[in-house]
């Protein structure tokens, strides 16, 4: 079990991560602040391996919208492994939370869909993640996003040739 101090720190980390998604600065500093080198991400769009690929995929996915708002709630934390305590490098904690994400479509998407197009695509779901203690602090080493419900239409995703 995590302590109240650990839980508070992890909750703040999750909140900062969600806020950062809406600020849209997905550079190397952003990726290093939130992910381990070997992070594995699973989302409705597929599986992503590695910090650079996850940052690029996040930028691409959220770049399909004019704006977004990510809200996290009901954060639950549990220790997975802590051979020398939660402050030791390599100690891991699982964290999960409910998420409500609102995406505002680009003007070009709305124009393509016509005058009655819904400007919003909203998703309710869960995030499940693993945080690993590194010399730089806790970072996500695993993250999975599960959409439970949606409202509105997602953007059209162009298929890559190949």
């Amino acid at each position: 079990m995590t302590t109240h101090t650990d839980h508070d720190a992890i909750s703040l980390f999750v909140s900062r991560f969600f806020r950062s998604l809406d600020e849209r600065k997905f550079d190397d500093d952003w990726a290093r602040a939130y992910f381990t080198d070997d992070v594995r991400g699973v989302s409705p769009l597929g599986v992503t391996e590695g910090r650079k690929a996850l940052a690029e995929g996040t930028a691409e996915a959220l770049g399909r919208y004019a704006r977004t708002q990510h809200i996290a709630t009901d954060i639950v934390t549990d220790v997975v492994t802590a051979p020398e305590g939660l402050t030791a490098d390599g100690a891991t904690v699982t964290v999960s939370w409910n998420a409500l994400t609102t995406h505002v479509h680009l003007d070009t998407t709305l124009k393509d869909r016509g005058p009655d197009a819904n400007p919003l695509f909203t998703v309710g779901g869960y995030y499940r993640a693993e945080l690993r203690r590194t010399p730089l602090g806790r970072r996500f080493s695993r993250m999975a996003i599960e959409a439970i419900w949606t409202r509105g239409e997602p953007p059209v995703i162009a298929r890559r040739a190949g």
Side-chain angles (χ1 to χ4, degrees), residues 91-129:
T92 59
V93 175
T94 61
V95 59
S96 60
W97 63 94
N98 290 321
L100 177 62
T101 59
T102 302
H103 309 80
V104 179
H105 285 297
L106 295 167
D107 289 342
T108 52
T109 301
L110 295 174
K111 183 179 177 186
D112 289 346
R113 291 190 177 159
D116 294 329
N118 183 343
L120 302 179
F121 175 58
T122 307
V123 180
Y126 306 119
Y127 275 65
R128 290 179 177 82

Side-chain angles (χ1 to χ4, degrees), residues 70-91:
H70 291 74
I71 299 170
T73 187
D74 302 327
I75 297 169
V76 177
T77 57
D78 289 301
V79 175
V80 175
T81 60
E84 298 176 29
L86 287 175
T87 59
D89 285 351

Side-chain angles (χ1 to χ4, degrees), residues 53-77:
L54 196 120
E56 289 170 353
T58 301
E60 180 183 342
L62 295 183
R64 296 178 182 132
Y65 302 99
R67 291 176 306 284
T68 59
Q69 185 176 35
H70 291 74
I71 299 170
T73 187
D74 302 327
I75 297 169
V76 177
T77 57

Side-chain angles (χ1 to χ4, degrees), residues 9-19 72 75 95 97 140:
I10 292 166
S11 294
L12 183 58
F13 186 79
V14 168
S15 294
R16 285 186 172 144
F17 171 69
F18 259 33
R19 172 81 49 91
I75 297 169
V95 59
W97 63 94
F140 291 116

